[in-house]
Amino acid sequence: MIYSRITGTGGHLPEKVLTNRDLEQMVETSDQWIRERTGIAERHIAAPDETTCDLAEPAARRAMEAAGVGPDDIDLILVATTTPDQVFPSTACLLQQRLDIHGCAAFDIQAVCTGFIYALGVADRFIRTGGARRALVVGAETLSRIVDWTDRGTCVLFGDGAGAVVLEASETPGILSSHLHADGRYEQLLRVPAGVSSHYDRLRAGEAFVQMKGNEVFKVAVNTLGRIVDETLAANALEKGDVDWLIPHQANIRIIQATARKLKLSMERVVVTVDRHGNTSAASVPLALDVAVRDGRVRRGETLLMEAFGGGFTWGSVLLKF
Ligand code: ACO
């Protein structure tokens, strides 16, 4: 039986930090409101000339270094992003070029905040069916580019960053299961209603922004993530309490706490970065994983549940032995 196993992690954040106090100068908000309603204290924002691929590259290099692999060892590159550098080539191909990797399949995955979970699920299927042996899986975003900095309902939430893992074929587990879902009927609750083939004028004018009915998204997110926890545990015949670490998408501390309660996990067993990173969309789960691996909390052999929910709506989970 072939499994896929994470052998290295990496992360990268842009240098500029935007605090809640900074946001108080930009919109009608307060540090207290943002902390209480979201758990966010600060987030990192890419410099004007810094692209998604600029963030992805150091994260990928760190993951490859941690795994002890070089450019010739990678035979699949997946980049989960909603904010690609260009219409094409894909950010995965741009990253491939930067890393001096040539010939292997490379493509982007667009599932907004669930993008990394989707990418990990796809890479796992490639590896288990013999289509690849060593994949570089990245979540990278410059979401600040599609945020309306005059809309206090959204601009306080998001940040930029990148996280990456190397996923390798292995005889020992590995990813135990992945669960990927979407339901497009919720489009109106969370979207950027502009793109290349619709409302291109907004894109050209730099007015393609996240629109979100936050309160309604919140309720669906909490219920849906509760269900994905049940689905994941049932698929692996596990009980609540068998999971060592929850590594959730970092959208809102209250959503994270609700999922932890569902799992009967104390918050000490939950990796939280939303306070320092905000919501970095597809980058949030691999960034959180990298933080917890590097500070020694997450250890080899432990059982990790990763989950995410985002625009689409999309949602999903990955259960793995680290
Ligand atoms: N500062 C101060 N007040 C604010 C702010 C702000 N930044 N934003 C909203 N408010 C006000 C509202 O105007 C409202 O005022 P009113 O009662 O006078 O009308 C009040 O605060 C409450 O607003 P709600 O939207 O009900 O606040 P809520 O407690 O729901 O928190 C939040 C809002 C943080 C956005 C929350 O709903 C949330 O986290 N939603 C889910 C986000 C999410 O998970 N998205 C999915 C991933 S993102 C992606 O895929 C791109």
Side-chain angles (χ1 to χ4, degrees):
M1 173 100 175
I2 305 176
Y3 293 96
S4 69
R5 232 175 125 240
I6 292 176
T7 54
T9 67
H12 180 73
L13 292 160
E15 209 178 301
K16 182 184 154 79
V17 173
L18 187 73
T19 65
N20 292 348
R21 295 276 178 223
D22 296 330
L23 281 162
E24 285 177 355
Q25 311 303 313
M26 297 161 64
V27 287
E28 180 85 37
T29 191
S30 68
D31 175 53
Q32 190 190 355
W33 190 96
I34 302 170
R35 281 178 198 265
E36 283 178 8
R37 306 310 296 165
T38 73
I40 301 169
E42 60 186 37
R43 69 290 289 146
H44 291 248
I45 303 292
D49 60 349
E50 203 169 26
T51 70
T52 294
C53 196
D54 291 335
L55 304 180
E57 184 184 346
R61 287 190 189 280
R62 280 181 197 132
M64 288 169 64
E65 193 187 337
V69 301
D72 295 340
D73 300 316
I74 300 294
D75 59 6
L76 174 67
I77 300 176
L78 301 185
V79 176
T81 188
T82 306
T83 47
D85 288 32
Q86 306 177 20
V87 174
F88 69 83
S90 67
T91 307
C93 286
L94 299 177
L95 180 64
Q96 187 191 40
Q97 179 192 154
R98 301 252 192 119
L99 296 174
D100 205 18
I101 299 172
H102 306 280
C104 72
F107 57 95
D108 288 0
I109 288 187
Q110 153 62 306
V112 201
C113 297
T114 319
F116 180 77
I117 298 291
Y118 264 58
L120 210 52
V122 170
D124 175 55
R125 284 159 177 80
F126 260 86
I127 288 175
R128 280 192 292 108
T129 54
R133 288 203 58 80
R134 209 171 273 114
L136 178 62
V137 186
V138 183
E141 302 276 18
T142 45
L143 223 78
S144 61
R145 302 274 156 74
I146 52 167
V147 165
D148 177 355
W149 291 99
T150 66
D151 174 17
R152 69 176 184 173
T154 52
C155 76
V156 302
L157 303 174
F158 298 103
D160 300 330
V165 302
V166 172
L167 194 69
E168 299 195 33
S170 161
E171 278 169 20
T172 47
I175 291 182
L176 301 171
S177 69
S178 60
H179 308 263
L180 310 180
H181 297 282
D183 192 339
R185 95 182 101 161
Y186 293 102
E187 181 204 348
Q188 304 295 326
L189 297 188
L190 178 56
R191 59 185 185 153
V192 178
V196 176
S197 75
S198 133
H199 300 291
Y200 186 53
D201 51 325
R202 288 183 203 157
L203 202 63
R204 284 184 59 173
E207 289 166 358
F209 297 135
V210 174
Q211 295 178 357
M212 179 168 74
K213 297 197 171 105
N215 201 277
E216 291 171 61
V217 175
F218 186 94
K219 287 180 209 147
V220 184
V222 168
N223 288 332
T224 307
L225 290 170
R227 282 205 311 277
I228 199 95
V229 163
D230 287 338
E231 178 186 332
T232 312
L233 293 178
N236 292 280
L238 289 182
E239 303 286 333
K240 290 172 182 168
D242 290 339
V243 171
D244 295 310
W245 289 100
L246 172 64
I247 309 201
H249 172 49
Q250 312 280 326
N252 186 315
I253 191 69
R254 294 182 291 137
I255 298 176
I256 295 173
Q257 286 162 342
T259 311
R261 275 197 297 277
K262 176 86 191 173
L263 267 168
K264 293 199 164 53
L265 264 189
S266 87
M267 285 304 285
E268 277 89 72
R269 307 304 290 179
V270 181
V271 179
V272 175
T273 52
V274 71
D275 53 336
R276 302 265 157 257
H277 298 174
N279 179 350
T280 57
S281 187
S284 94
V285 170
L287 266 171
L289 174 66
D290 184 57
V291 166
V293 168
R294 283 178 194 264
D295 69 20
R297 271 179 290 170
V298 166
R299 308 225 178 119
R300 287 280 162 213
E302 289 183 317
T303 304
L304 275 47
L305 176 60
M306 301 177 179
E307 46 80 347
F309 177 91
F313 288 152
T314 54
W315 64 98
S317 66
V318 171
L319 187 87
L320 61 88
K321 284 262 178 231
F322 187 68

PDB file of all heavy atoms in Angstrom, residues 222-242:
ATOM      1  N   VAL A 222     -19.572  27.351  10.628  1.00  0.00           N
ATOM      2  CA  VAL A 222     -19.554  26.591  11.891  1.00  0.00           C
ATOM      3  C   VAL A 222     -20.274  25.247  11.710  1.00  0.00           C
ATOM      4  O   VAL A 222     -19.745  24.188  12.090  1.00  0.00           O
ATOM      5  CB  VAL A 222     -20.195  27.412  13.034  1.00  0.00           C
ATOM      6  CG1 VAL A 222     -20.442  26.542  14.256  1.00  0.00           C
ATOM      7  CG2 VAL A 222     -19.294  28.592  13.394  1.00  0.00           C
ATOM      8  N   ASN A 223     -21.467  25.272  11.096  1.00  0.00           N
ATOM      9  CA  ASN A 223     -22.222  24.017  10.912  1.00  0.00           C
ATOM     10  C   ASN A 223     -21.500  23.051   9.990  1.00  0.00           C
ATOM     11  O   ASN A 223     -21.412  21.850  10.257  1.00  0.00           O
ATOM     12  CB  ASN A 223     -23.611  24.314  10.330  1.00  0.00           C
ATOM     13  CG  ASN A 223     -24.493  24.974  11.372  1.00  0.00           C
ATOM     14  OD1 ASN A 223     -24.310  24.751  12.571  1.00  0.00           O
ATOM     15  ND2 ASN A 223     -25.418  25.806  10.941  1.00  0.00           N
ATOM     16  N   THR A 224     -20.955  23.592   8.892  1.00  0.00           N
ATOM     17  CA  THR A 224     -20.317  22.732   7.892  1.00  0.00           C
ATOM     18  C   THR A 224     -19.044  22.108   8.443  1.00  0.00           C
ATOM     19  O   THR A 224     -18.767  20.925   8.217  1.00  0.00           O
ATOM     20  CB  THR A 224     -19.997  23.566   6.628  1.00  0.00           C
ATOM     21  OG1 THR A 224     -21.193  24.221   6.217  1.00  0.00           O
ATOM     22  CG2 THR A 224     -19.491  22.699   5.511  1.00  0.00           C
ATOM     23  N   LEU A 225     -18.267  22.887   9.181  1.00  0.00           N
ATOM     24  CA  LEU A 225     -17.022  22.345   9.744  1.00  0.00           C
ATOM     25  C   LEU A 225     -17.331  21.307  10.820  1.00  0.00           C
ATOM     26  O   LEU A 225     -16.597  20.326  10.965  1.00  0.00           O
ATOM     27  CB  LEU A 225     -16.144  23.477  10.284  1.00  0.00           C
ATOM     28  CG  LEU A 225     -15.539  24.356   9.178  1.00  0.00           C
ATOM     29  CD1 LEU A 225     -14.885  25.603   9.750  1.00  0.00           C
ATOM     30  CD2 LEU A 225     -14.532  23.573   8.333  1.00  0.00           C
ATOM     31  N   GLY A 226     -18.428  21.488  11.544  1.00  0.00           N
ATOM     32  CA  GLY A 226     -18.863  20.460  12.494  1.00  0.00           C
ATOM     33  C   GLY A 226     -19.149  19.151  11.772  1.00  0.00           C
ATOM     34  O   GLY A 226     -18.732  18.073  12.217  1.00  0.00           O
ATOM     35  N   ARG A 227     -19.818  19.248  10.610  1.00  0.00           N
ATOM     36  CA  ARG A 227     -20.156  18.037   9.844  1.00  0.00           C
ATOM     37  C   ARG A 227     -18.902  17.368   9.274  1.00  0.00           C
ATOM     38  O   ARG A 227     -18.801  16.145   9.249  1.00  0.00           O
ATOM     39  CB  ARG A 227     -21.129  18.382   8.708  1.00  0.00           C
ATOM     40  CG  ARG A 227     -22.568  18.577   9.150  1.00  0.00           C
ATOM     41  CD  ARG A 227     -23.549  18.301   8.006  1.00  0.00           C
ATOM     42  NE  ARG A 227     -23.182  18.979   6.780  1.00  0.00           N
ATOM     43  CZ  ARG A 227     -23.458  20.245   6.489  1.00  0.00           C
ATOM     44  NH1 ARG A 227     -24.119  20.986   7.354  1.00  0.00           N
ATOM     45  NH2 ARG A 227     -23.082  20.773   5.348  1.00  0.00           N
ATOM     46  N   ILE A 228     -17.937  18.187   8.819  1.00  0.00           N
ATOM     47  CA  ILE A 228     -16.741  17.574   8.206  1.00  0.00           C
ATOM     48  C   ILE A 228     -15.911  16.860   9.272  1.00  0.00           C
ATOM     49  O   ILE A 228     -15.247  15.853   8.986  1.00  0.00           O
ATOM     50  CB  ILE A 228     -15.898  18.598   7.408  1.00  0.00           C
ATOM     51  CG1 ILE A 228     -14.948  17.883   6.422  1.00  0.00           C
ATOM     52  CG2 ILE A 228     -15.035  19.473   8.274  1.00  0.00           C
ATOM     53  CD1 ILE A 228     -15.473  17.748   5.078  1.00  0.00           C
ATOM     54  N   VAL A 229     -15.951  17.355  10.502  1.00  0.00           N
ATOM     55  CA  VAL A 229     -15.269  16.661  11.600  1.00  0.00           C
ATOM     56  C   VAL A 229     -15.887  15.267  11.763  1.00  0.00           C
ATOM     57  O   VAL A 229     -15.173  14.254  11.799  1.00  0.00           O
ATOM     58  CB  VAL A 229     -15.384  17.466  12.913  1.00  0.00           C
ATOM     59  CG1 VAL A 229     -15.057  16.605  14.120  1.00  0.00           C
ATOM     60  CG2 VAL A 229     -14.472  18.682  12.874  1.00  0.00           C
ATOM     61  N   ASP A 230     -17.216  15.196  11.820  1.00  0.00           N
ATOM     62  CA  ASP A 230     -17.900  13.901  11.961  1.00  0.00           C
ATOM     63  C   ASP A 230     -17.567  12.976  10.793  1.00  0.00           C
ATOM     64  O   ASP A 230     -17.261  11.800  10.980  1.00  0.00           O
ATOM     65  CB  ASP A 230     -19.428  14.110  12.003  1.00  0.00           C
ATOM     66  CG  ASP A 230     -19.874  14.704  13.332  1.00  0.00           C
ATOM     67  OD1 ASP A 230     -19.132  14.560  14.319  1.00  0.00           O
ATOM     68  OD2 ASP A 230     -20.965  15.318  13.367  1.00  0.00           O
ATOM     69  N   GLU A 231     -17.621  13.530   9.578  1.00  0.00           N
ATOM     70  CA  GLU A 231     -17.356  12.724   8.373  1.00  0.00           C
ATOM     71  C   GLU A 231     -15.937  12.145   8.408  1.00  0.00           C
ATOM     72  O   GLU A 231     -15.719  10.968   8.091  1.00  0.00           O
ATOM     73  CB  GLU A 231     -17.540  13.613   7.128  1.00  0.00           C
ATOM     74  CG  GLU A 231     -17.252  12.904   5.815  1.00  0.00           C
ATOM     75  CD  GLU A 231     -17.310  13.854   4.609  1.00  0.00           C
ATOM     76  OE1 GLU A 231     -18.041  14.870   4.656  1.00  0.00           O
ATOM     77  OE2 GLU A 231     -16.617  13.564   3.625  1.00  0.00           O
ATOM     78  N   THR A 232     -14.982  12.968   8.819  1.00  0.00           N
ATOM     79  CA  THR A 232     -13.571  12.545   8.814  1.00  0.00           C
ATOM     80  C   THR A 232     -13.324  11.474   9.875  1.00  0.00           C
ATOM     81  O   THR A 232     -12.645  10.466   9.609  1.00  0.00           O
ATOM     82  CB  THR A 232     -12.656  13.765   9.059  1.00  0.00           C
ATOM     83  OG1 THR A 232     -13.072  14.821   8.200  1.00  0.00           O
ATOM     84  CG2 THR A 232     -11.206  13.432   8.795  1.00  0.00           C
ATOM     85  N   LEU A 233     -13.872  11.688  11.069  1.00  0.00           N
ATOM     86  CA  LEU A 233     -13.676  10.695  12.132  1.00  0.00           C
ATOM     87  C   LEU A 233     -14.338   9.373  11.740  1.00  0.00           C
ATOM     88  O   LEU A 233     -13.738   8.302  11.885  1.00  0.00           O
ATOM     89  CB  LEU A 233     -14.268  11.208  13.451  1.00  0.00           C
ATOM     90  CG  LEU A 233     -13.575  12.423  14.087  1.00  0.00           C
ATOM     91  CD1 LEU A 233     -14.304  12.836  15.361  1.00  0.00           C
ATOM     92  CD2 LEU A 233     -12.108  12.137  14.389  1.00  0.00           C
ATOM     93  N   ALA A 234     -15.563   9.443  11.199  1.00  0.00           N
ATOM     94  CA  ALA A 234     -16.293   8.220  10.829  1.00  0.00           C
ATOM     95  C   ALA A 234     -15.541   7.443   9.746  1.00  0.00           C
ATOM     96  O   ALA A 234     -15.431   6.215   9.811  1.00  0.00           O
ATOM     97  CB  ALA A 234     -17.709   8.569  10.358  1.00  0.00           C
ATOM     98  N   ALA A 235     -14.986   8.157   8.768  1.00  0.00           N
ATOM     99  CA  ALA A 235     -14.286   7.485   7.658  1.00  0.00           C
ATOM    100  C   ALA A 235     -13.067   6.715   8.152  1.00  0.00           C
ATOM    101  O   ALA A 235     -12.601   5.783   7.506  1.00  0.00           O
ATOM    102  CB  ALA A 235     -13.860   8.519   6.615  1.00  0.00           C
ATOM    103  N   ASN A 236     -12.529   7.120   9.304  1.00  0.00           N
ATOM    104  CA  ASN A 236     -11.321   6.480   9.831  1.00  0.00           C
ATOM    105  C   ASN A 236     -11.596   5.674  11.103  1.00  0.00           C
ATOM    106  O   ASN A 236     -10.655   5.255  11.783  1.00  0.00           O
ATOM    107  CB  ASN A 236     -10.265   7.554  10.114  1.00  0.00           C
ATOM    108  CG  ASN A 236      -9.756   8.195   8.834  1.00  0.00           C
ATOM    109  OD1 ASN A 236      -8.919   7.629   8.150  1.00  0.00           O
ATOM    110  ND2 ASN A 236     -10.302   9.357   8.474  1.00  0.00           N
ATOM    111  N   ALA A 237     -12.889   5.490  11.407  1.00  0.00           N
ATOM    112  CA  ALA A 237     -13.300   4.770  12.627  1.00  0.00           C
ATOM    113  C   ALA A 237     -12.576   5.315  13.854  1.00  0.00           C
ATOM    114  O   ALA A 237     -12.096   4.558  14.706  1.00  0.00           O
ATOM    115  CB  ALA A 237     -13.067   3.263  12.462  1.00  0.00           C
ATOM    116  N   LEU A 238     -12.486   6.635  13.935  1.00  0.00           N
ATOM    117  CA  LEU A 238     -11.836   7.281  15.083  1.00  0.00           C
ATOM    118  C   LEU A 238     -12.894   7.905  15.987  1.00  0.00           C
ATOM    119  O   LEU A 238     -13.997   8.230  15.544  1.00  0.00           O
ATOM    120  CB  LEU A 238     -10.887   8.391  14.619  1.00  0.00           C
ATOM    121  CG  LEU A 238      -9.599   7.973  13.910  1.00  0.00           C
ATOM    122  CD1 LEU A 238      -8.775   9.220  13.575  1.00  0.00           C
ATOM    123  CD2 LEU A 238      -8.772   7.026  14.747  1.00  0.00           C
ATOM    124  N   GLU A 239     -12.522   8.073  17.247  1.00  0.00           N
ATOM    125  CA  GLU A 239     -13.383   8.759  18.218  1.00  0.00           C
ATOM    126  C   GLU A 239     -12.865  10.181  18.399  1.00  0.00           C
ATOM    127  O   GLU A 239     -11.697  10.449  18.171  1.00  0.00           O
ATOM    128  CB  GLU A 239     -13.301   8.055  19.587  1.00  0.00           C
ATOM    129  CG  GLU A 239     -13.659   6.584  19.583  1.00  0.00           C
ATOM    130  CD  GLU A 239     -15.141   6.375  19.434  1.00  0.00           C
ATOM    131  OE1 GLU A 239     -15.915   7.277  19.835  1.00  0.00           O
ATOM    132  OE2 GLU A 239     -15.530   5.325  18.898  1.00  0.00           O
ATOM    133  N   LYS A 240     -13.764  11.043  18.879  1.00  0.00           N
ATOM    134  CA  LYS A 240     -13.289  12.354  19.322  1.00  0.00           C
ATOM    135  C   LYS A 240     -12.238  12.087  20.391  1.00  0.00           C
ATOM    136  O   LYS A 240     -12.406  11.213  21.219  1.00  0.00           O
ATOM    137  CB  LYS A 240     -14.430  13.147  19.944  1.00  0.00           C
ATOM    138  CG  LYS A 240     -15.450  13.572  18.922  1.00  0.00           C
ATOM    139  CD  LYS A 240     -16.662  14.194  19.539  1.00  0.00           C
ATOM    140  CE  LYS A 240     -17.611  14.520  18.406  1.00  0.00           C
ATOM    141  NZ  LYS A 240     -18.939  14.873  18.800  1.00  0.00           N
ATOM    142  N   GLY A 241     -11.172  12.787  20.398  1.00  0.00           N
ATOM    143  CA  GLY A 241     -10.132  12.510  21.391  1.00  0.00           C
ATOM    144  C   GLY A 241      -8.979  11.713  20.799  1.00  0.00           C
ATOM    145  O   GLY A 241      -7.905  11.657  21.383  1.00  0.00           O
ATOM    146  N   ASP A 242      -9.199  11.074  19.628  1.00  0.00           N
ATOM    147  CA  ASP A 242      -8.098  10.359  18.975  1.00  0.00           C
ATOM    148  C   ASP A 242      -7.202  11.300  18.177  1.00  0.00           C
ATOM    149  O   ASP A 242      -6.130  10.901  17.711  1.00  0.00           O
ATOM    150  CB  ASP A 242      -8.635   9.276  18.022  1.00  0.00           C
ATOM    151  CG  ASP A 242      -9.264   8.109  18.775  1.00  0.00           C
ATOM    152  OD1 ASP A 242      -8.939   7.938  19.965  1.00  0.00           O
ATOM    153  OD2 ASP A 242     -10.079   7.382  18.173  1.00  0.00           O
TER     154      ASP A 242
END
